[in-house]
Amino acid sequence: MTPFPYKLIATDLDGTLLRADGTVSQRTRDALAAATAAGAAHIVVTGRAVPWTRHILDDLGYDGLAVCGQGAQVYHAGEHRLLTSVTLDRQLAGLALSKLEAEVGPLALAASRDGLDGEVLVGPGYRVQEGPLPYLPYEDPADLWSAPLNKVYIQHPELDDDALALAARRTVGGLVDVVMAGAGVVEILPLGLSKATGLSLAARRLGARATDTIAFGDMPNDIPMFAWARHGVAMANAHDDLKAVAHEITASNESDGIAVVLEDLLRG
């Protein structure tokens, strides 16, 4: 077998490894298995926090490290253990939201609590995507800040995702980081946190470096990961901002884009 040219394969989940129905195709499973048999390690790098990721990893039989919560959490799937966790300064986040609302008007909010079993809180007016992922509605604004958080989700009644993310970066970018992670998903994160910071921590534990890494993604929150990795591959369904910085564009998540690239690399 030709030696695989990368030690680490980093894959986003939604829109990348997962199809629209939340599953991973057999072809993609087989390609990842072949790549790992050839010496690579597969690491999931997702915006989802651990409680929204764990069931997917269990279904895959995945027992390695995963980077969750936009880099905030490094999770050992085989041991069901949180190795590192970064939380959002709630006072700073509250200040950032106040400044942003003064600029663009009222926002609908949700938040991801820290920990292996941290709930996702959803406030009034926040549009939740249909699906099986659990969340906890709240009415009292104080509930949002009552426990440590990894991130806050924001939505605006009129601004689209790109416009809201741009306005947030312009207004409060010196206080927090802002990412657009998917349709209807704009997030407030600790300043300096990204998928790249979490991935670099996990890679170090695996004895891998940025120059050993190929990364797959589909959204602007994957841009730092592409900047860190040796080779960034955007899915055909990716956001234009990510395609603009990708080294390569593959087929869509529905058409086994990850497998297409891995199979080619395995053939040498």
mmCIF file of all heavy atoms in Angstrom, residues 45-75:
data_model
loop_
_atom_site.group_PDB
_atom_site.id
_atom_site.type_symbol
_atom_site.label_atom_id
_atom_site.label_comp_id
_atom_site.label_asym_id
_atom_site.label_seq_id
_atom_site.Cartn_x
_atom_site.Cartn_y
_atom_site.Cartn_z
ATOM 1 N N VAL A 45 -13.532 17.754 13.884
ATOM 2 C CA VAL A 45 -13.391 19.129 14.375
ATOM 3 C C VAL A 45 -14.701 19.843 14.048
ATOM 4 O O VAL A 45 -14.969 20.173 12.895
ATOM 5 C CB VAL A 45 -12.198 19.855 13.716
ATOM 6 C CG1 VAL A 45 -12.008 21.233 14.338
ATOM 7 C CG2 VAL A 45 -10.920 19.032 13.849
ATOM 8 N N THR A 46 -15.517 20.076 15.064
ATOM 9 C CA THR A 46 -16.881 20.547 14.826
ATOM 10 C C THR A 46 -17.238 21.748 15.684
ATOM 11 O O THR A 46 -16.685 21.945 16.769
ATOM 12 C CB THR A 46 -17.881 19.400 15.091
ATOM 13 O OG1 THR A 46 -19.217 19.875 14.905
ATOM 14 C CG2 THR A 46 -17.752 18.859 16.512
ATOM 15 N N GLY A 47 -18.186 22.528 15.191
ATOM 16 C CA GLY A 47 -18.734 23.603 15.997
ATOM 17 C C GLY A 47 -19.663 23.110 17.087
ATOM 18 O O GLY A 47 -19.910 23.808 18.066
ATOM 19 N N ARG A 48 -20.187 21.904 16.922
ATOM 20 C CA ARG A 48 -21.088 21.352 17.931
ATOM 21 C C ARG A 48 -20.341 21.118 19.245
ATOM 22 O O ARG A 48 -19.208 20.629 19.246
ATOM 23 C CB ARG A 48 -21.632 19.995 17.470
ATOM 24 C CG ARG A 48 -22.480 19.996 16.225
ATOM 25 C CD ARG A 48 -23.010 18.597 16.030
ATOM 26 N NE ARG A 48 -23.738 18.418 14.774
ATOM 27 C CZ ARG A 48 -24.775 17.609 14.638
ATOM 28 N NH1 ARG A 48 -25.213 16.911 15.679
ATOM 29 N NH2 ARG A 48 -25.373 17.473 13.479
ATOM 30 N N ALA A 49 -21.007 21.396 20.350
ATOM 31 C CA ALA A 49 -20.450 21.034 21.641
ATOM 32 C C ALA A 49 -20.547 19.523 21.834
ATOM 33 O O ALA A 49 -21.251 18.826 21.086
ATOM 34 C CB ALA A 49 -21.186 21.761 22.759
ATOM 35 N N VAL A 50 -19.845 19.012 22.842
ATOM 36 C CA VAL A 50 -19.784 17.560 23.064
ATOM 37 C C VAL A 50 -21.166 16.899 23.146
ATOM 38 O O VAL A 50 -21.383 15.857 22.508
ATOM 39 C CB VAL A 50 -18.945 17.240 24.317
ATOM 40 C CG1 VAL A 50 -19.095 15.778 24.728
ATOM 41 C CG2 VAL A 50 -17.479 17.553 24.057
ATOM 42 N N PRO A 51 -22.131 17.464 23.908
ATOM 43 C CA PRO A 51 -23.421 16.760 24.004
ATOM 44 C C PRO A 51 -24.133 16.576 22.663
ATOM 45 O O PRO A 51 -24.919 15.639 22.519
ATOM 46 C CB PRO A 51 -24.234 17.664 24.942
ATOM 47 C CG PRO A 51 -23.217 18.382 25.751
ATOM 48 C CD PRO A 51 -22.082 18.632 24.808
ATOM 49 N N TRP A 52 -23.873 17.449 21.702
ATOM 50 C CA TRP A 52 -24.482 17.341 20.375
ATOM 51 C C TRP A 52 -23.609 16.565 19.389
ATOM 52 O O TRP A 52 -23.974 16.391 18.228
ATOM 53 C CB TRP A 52 -24.772 18.735 19.814
ATOM 54 C CG TRP A 52 -26.050 19.333 20.315
ATOM 55 C CD1 TRP A 52 -26.841 18.890 21.331
ATOM 56 C CD2 TRP A 52 -26.698 20.495 19.794
ATOM 57 N NE1 TRP A 52 -27.929 19.702 21.490
ATOM 58 C CE2 TRP A 52 -27.876 20.697 20.563
ATOM 59 C CE3 TRP A 52 -26.404 21.389 18.778
ATOM 60 C CZ2 TRP A 52 -28.756 21.752 20.332
ATOM 61 C CZ3 TRP A 52 -27.269 22.451 18.546
ATOM 62 C CH2 TRP A 52 -28.438 22.624 19.307
ATOM 63 N N THR A 53 -22.445 16.097 19.852
ATOM 64 C CA THR A 53 -21.508 15.384 18.986
ATOM 65 C C THR A 53 -21.358 13.923 19.378
ATOM 66 O O THR A 53 -21.136 13.053 18.530
ATOM 67 C CB THR A 53 -20.121 16.054 19.050
ATOM 68 O OG1 THR A 53 -20.249 17.445 18.778
ATOM 69 C CG2 THR A 53 -19.149 15.447 18.065
ATOM 70 N N ARG A 54 -21.515 13.644 20.652
ATOM 71 C CA ARG A 54 -21.177 12.340 21.219
ATOM 72 C C ARG A 54 -21.897 11.186 20.518
ATOM 73 O O ARG A 54 -21.310 10.149 20.216
ATOM 74 C CB ARG A 54 -21.492 12.356 22.712
ATOM 75 C CG ARG A 54 -21.004 11.161 23.502
ATOM 76 C CD ARG A 54 -21.069 11.473 24.984
ATOM 77 N NE ARG A 54 -22.332 12.099 25.352
ATOM 78 C CZ ARG A 54 -22.469 12.925 26.393
ATOM 79 N NH1 ARG A 54 -21.425 13.225 27.140
ATOM 80 N NH2 ARG A 54 -23.649 13.422 26.680
ATOM 81 N N HIS A 55 -23.198 11.357 20.231
ATOM 82 C CA HIS A 55 -23.959 10.258 19.635
ATOM 83 C C HIS A 55 -23.473 9.930 18.228
ATOM 84 O O HIS A 55 -23.516 8.774 17.802
ATOM 85 C CB HIS A 55 -25.456 10.591 19.628
ATOM 86 C CG HIS A 55 -25.828 11.730 18.712
ATOM 87 N ND1 HIS A 55 -25.531 13.046 19.004
ATOM 88 C CD2 HIS A 55 -26.462 11.749 17.511
ATOM 89 C CE1 HIS A 55 -25.979 13.820 18.030
ATOM 90 N NE2 HIS A 55 -26.538 13.065 17.110
ATOM 91 N N ILE A 56 -22.991 10.938 17.494
ATOM 92 C CA ILE A 56 -22.466 10.703 16.146
ATOM 93 C C ILE A 56 -21.168 9.910 16.223
ATOM 94 O O ILE A 56 -20.953 8.950 15.482
ATOM 95 C CB ILE A 56 -22.235 12.043 15.425
ATOM 96 C CG1 ILE A 56 -23.565 12.780 15.225
ATOM 97 C CG2 ILE A 56 -21.548 11.815 14.073
ATOM 98 C CD1 ILE A 56 -23.399 14.201 14.761
ATOM 99 N N LEU A 57 -20.301 10.295 17.142
ATOM 100 C CA LEU A 57 -19.032 9.595 17.301
ATOM 101 C C LEU A 57 -19.255 8.153 17.734
ATOM 102 O O LEU A 57 -18.584 7.238 17.245
ATOM 103 C CB LEU A 57 -18.162 10.330 18.323
ATOM 104 C CG LEU A 57 -17.855 11.800 18.012
ATOM 105 C CD1 LEU A 57 -16.954 12.393 19.088
ATOM 106 C CD2 LEU A 57 -17.218 11.949 16.634
ATOM 107 N N ASP A 58 -20.210 7.958 18.632
ATOM 108 C CA ASP A 58 -20.517 6.589 19.077
ATOM 109 C C ASP A 58 -21.017 5.742 17.915
ATOM 110 O O ASP A 58 -20.645 4.566 17.777
ATOM 111 C CB ASP A 58 -21.549 6.621 20.201
ATOM 112 C CG ASP A 58 -20.994 7.178 21.512
ATOM 113 O OD1 ASP A 58 -19.754 7.283 21.637
ATOM 114 O OD2 ASP A 58 -21.802 7.517 22.401
ATOM 115 N N ASP A 59 -21.864 6.334 17.060
ATOM 116 C CA ASP A 59 -22.392 5.602 15.907
ATOM 117 C C ASP A 59 -21.287 5.211 14.929
ATOM 118 O O ASP A 59 -21.340 4.148 14.313
ATOM 119 C CB ASP A 59 -23.441 6.454 15.190
ATOM 120 C CG ASP A 59 -23.949 5.790 13.913
ATOM 121 O OD1 ASP A 59 -24.602 4.740 14.032
ATOM 122 O OD2 ASP A 59 -23.682 6.318 12.816
ATOM 123 N N LEU A 60 -20.269 6.072 14.810
ATOM 124 C CA LEU A 60 -19.155 5.798 13.907
ATOM 125 C C LEU A 60 -18.180 4.782 14.494
ATOM 126 O O LEU A 60 -17.276 4.318 13.794
ATOM 127 C CB LEU A 60 -18.393 7.094 13.615
ATOM 128 C CG LEU A 60 -19.056 8.104 12.673
ATOM 129 C CD1 LEU A 60 -18.279 9.412 12.677
ATOM 130 C CD2 LEU A 60 -19.144 7.544 11.264
ATOM 131 N N GLY A 61 -18.345 4.468 15.772
ATOM 132 C CA GLY A 61 -17.349 3.641 16.443
ATOM 133 C C GLY A 61 -16.051 4.395 16.653
ATOM 134 O O GLY A 61 -14.963 3.820 16.747
ATOM 135 N N TYR A 62 -16.155 5.697 16.745
ATOM 136 C CA TYR A 62 -15.009 6.607 16.830
ATOM 137 C C TYR A 62 -14.534 6.665 18.274
ATOM 138 O O TYR A 62 -15.299 7.007 19.172
ATOM 139 C CB TYR A 62 -15.479 7.982 16.352
ATOM 140 C CG TYR A 62 -14.461 9.081 16.275
ATOM 141 C CD1 TYR A 62 -13.922 9.462 15.050
ATOM 142 C CD2 TYR A 62 -14.060 9.788 17.401
ATOM 143 C CE1 TYR A 62 -13.018 10.507 14.948
ATOM 144 C CE2 TYR A 62 -13.153 10.826 17.314
ATOM 145 C CZ TYR A 62 -12.631 11.179 16.089
ATOM 146 O OH TYR A 62 -11.736 12.207 15.997
ATOM 147 N N ASP A 63 -13.255 6.318 18.514
ATOM 148 C CA ASP A 63 -12.777 6.292 19.891
ATOM 149 C C ASP A 63 -11.558 7.177 20.127
ATOM 150 O O ASP A 63 -10.877 7.064 21.148
ATOM 151 C CB ASP A 63 -12.468 4.863 20.328
ATOM 152 C CG ASP A 63 -11.406 4.192 19.451
ATOM 153 O OD1 ASP A 63 -10.839 4.871 18.571
ATOM 154 O OD2 ASP A 63 -11.147 2.994 19.662
ATOM 155 N N GLY A 64 -11.286 8.071 19.184
ATOM 156 C CA GLY A 64 -10.142 8.971 19.321
ATOM 157 C C GLY A 64 -10.535 10.323 19.901
ATOM 158 O O GLY A 64 -11.549 10.462 20.580
ATOM 159 N N LEU A 65 -9.717 11.336 19.603
ATOM 160 C CA LEU A 65 -9.981 12.684 20.072
ATOM 161 C C LEU A 65 -10.911 13.403 19.102
ATOM 162 O O LEU A 65 -10.896 13.154 17.895
ATOM 163 C CB LEU A 65 -8.679 13.480 20.202
ATOM 164 C CG LEU A 65 -7.608 12.926 21.135
ATOM 165 C CD1 LEU A 65 -6.430 13.887 21.199
ATOM 166 C CD2 LEU A 65 -8.176 12.665 22.523
ATOM 167 N N ALA A 66 -11.712 14.308 19.639
ATOM 168 C CA ALA A 66 -12.551 15.183 18.821
ATOM 169 C C ALA A 66 -12.438 16.599 19.361
ATOM 170 O O ALA A 66 -12.349 16.800 20.574
ATOM 171 C CB ALA A 66 -14.005 14.723 18.843
ATOM 172 N N VAL A 67 -12.438 17.554 18.447
ATOM 173 C CA VAL A 67 -12.432 18.966 18.823
ATOM 174 C C VAL A 67 -13.862 19.479 18.643
ATOM 175 O O VAL A 67 -14.404 19.432 17.540
ATOM 176 C CB VAL A 67 -11.448 19.768 17.955
ATOM 177 C CG1 VAL A 67 -11.518 21.249 18.299
ATOM 178 C CG2 VAL A 67 -10.030 19.239 18.141
ATOM 179 N N CYS A 68 -14.459 19.943 19.725
ATOM 180 C CA CYS A 68 -15.864 20.344 19.706
ATOM 181 C C CYS A 68 -16.007 21.807 20.135
ATOM 182 O O CYS A 68 -15.072 22.420 20.644
ATOM 183 C CB CYS A 68 -16.680 19.452 20.647
ATOM 184 S SG CYS A 68 -16.588 17.687 20.247
ATOM 185 N N GLY A 69 -17.215 22.348 19.904
ATOM 186 C CA GLY A 69 -17.513 23.700 20.368
ATOM 187 C C GLY A 69 -16.663 24.776 19.747
ATOM 188 O O GLY A 69 -16.255 25.724 20.416
ATOM 189 N N GLN A 70 -16.350 24.658 18.446
ATOM 190 C CA GLN A 70 -15.507 25.627 17.728
ATOM 191 C C GLN A 70 -14.092 25.696 18.291
ATOM 192 O O GLN A 70 -13.438 26.736 18.221
ATOM 193 C CB GLN A 70 -16.126 27.043 17.743
ATOM 194 C CG GLN A 70 -17.507 27.160 17.200
ATOM 195 C CD GLN A 70 -17.632 26.861 15.718
ATOM 196 O OE1 GLN A 70 -16.691 26.421 15.070
ATOM 197 N NE2 GLN A 70 -18.798 27.071 15.174
ATOM 198 N N GLY A 71 -13.614 24.604 18.858
ATOM 199 C CA GLY A 71 -12.266 24.578 19.413
ATOM 200 C C GLY A 71 -12.227 24.686 20.923
ATOM 201 O O GLY A 71 -11.173 24.551 21.528
ATOM 202 N N ALA A 72 -13.386 24.928 21.543
ATOM 203 C CA ALA A 72 -13.418 25.116 22.992
ATOM 204 C C ALA A 72 -13.159 23.830 23.762
ATOM 205 O O ALA A 72 -12.645 23.872 24.886
ATOM 206 C CB ALA A 72 -14.769 25.696 23.417
ATOM 207 N N GLN A 73 -13.503 22.691 23.179
ATOM 208 C CA GLN A 73 -13.434 21.422 23.901
ATOM 209 C C GLN A 73 -12.611 20.397 23.122
ATOM 210 O O GLN A 73 -12.805 20.212 21.926
ATOM 211 C CB GLN A 73 -14.846 20.864 24.105
ATOM 212 C CG GLN A 73 -15.765 21.769 24.908
ATOM 213 C CD GLN A 73 -17.206 21.300 24.875
ATOM 214 O OE1 GLN A 73 -17.727 20.937 23.821
ATOM 215 N NE2 GLN A 73 -17.862 21.302 26.020
ATOM 216 N N VAL A 74 -11.695 19.741 23.815
ATOM 217 C CA VAL A 74 -11.030 18.553 23.280
ATOM 218 C C VAL A 74 -11.576 17.371 24.066
ATOM 219 O O VAL A 74 -11.453 17.303 25.290
ATOM 220 C CB VAL A 74 -9.502 18.636 23.400
ATOM 221 C CG1 VAL A 74 -8.854 17.350 22.882
ATOM 222 C CG2 VAL A 74 -8.967 19.838 22.615
ATOM 223 N N TYR A 75 -12.188 16.445 23.340
ATOM 224 C CA TYR A 75 -12.960 15.353 23.937
ATOM 225 C C TYR A 75 -12.361 14.019 23.540
ATOM 226 O O TYR A 75 -12.051 13.798 22.366
ATOM 227 C CB TYR A 75 -14.407 15.473 23.447
ATOM 228 C CG TYR A 75 -15.314 14.315 23.760
ATOM 229 C CD1 TYR A 75 -15.662 14.000 25.071
ATOM 230 C CD2 TYR A 75 -15.860 13.543 22.727
ATOM 231 C CE1 TYR A 75 -16.523 12.942 25.346
ATOM 232 C CE2 TYR A 75 -16.726 12.495 22.993
ATOM 233 C CZ TYR A 75 -17.047 12.194 24.308
ATOM 234 O OH TYR A 75 -17.896 11.147 24.577
#
